[in-house]
Amino acid sequence: MAVKIRLARHGAKKRPYYRIVVADARAPRDGKVIEEVGRYNPCDPSMIKFDLEKVDKWIANGAQPTDTVARLLETARKEA
């Protein structure tokens, strides 16, 4: 089973709010998830929160972050 760390969209129309989740690569974007590992709100003011221990555990176990999540993770690690 290929596992990805990716964004799941929530929120209202034109007011997106994302959960950073670990999910099977074949699952739909907002479908079944294995675990939630963070949150991202791009609206003013922007907010990025990760549980870095969980993210590191999943990456060590072979989960691949998407390009967007990898960029957010890099930004979050710089701020911490």
Side-chain angles (χ1 to χ4, degrees), residues 9-79:
R9 189 183 194 281
H10 294 278
K13 182 178 178 182
K14 300 196 182 218
R15 299 287 298 165
Y17 179 82
Y18 298 94
R19 291 182 184 163
I20 301 158
V21 298
V22 177
D24 185 345
R26 298 167 295 185
R29 178 191 71 187
D30 298 333
K32 186 176 178 183
V33 301
I34 299 170
E35 185 174 17
E36 182 180 330
V37 294
R39 295 172 183 264
Y40 169 55
N41 186 356
C43 300
D44 250 354
S46 182
M47 182 264 308
I48 303 170
K49 285 189 181 179
F50 275 98
D51 185 339
L52 294 174
E53 291 177 11
K54 287 182 182 180
V55 171
D56 291 337
K57 181 190 86 158
W58 278 107
I59 290 174
N61 287 335
Q64 296 293 317
T66 60
D67 294 338
T68 304
V69 171
R71 221 172 39 244
L72 291 173
L73 188 57
E74 188 177 305
T75 302
R77 288 181 196 242
K78 285 180 185 176
E79 291 176 0

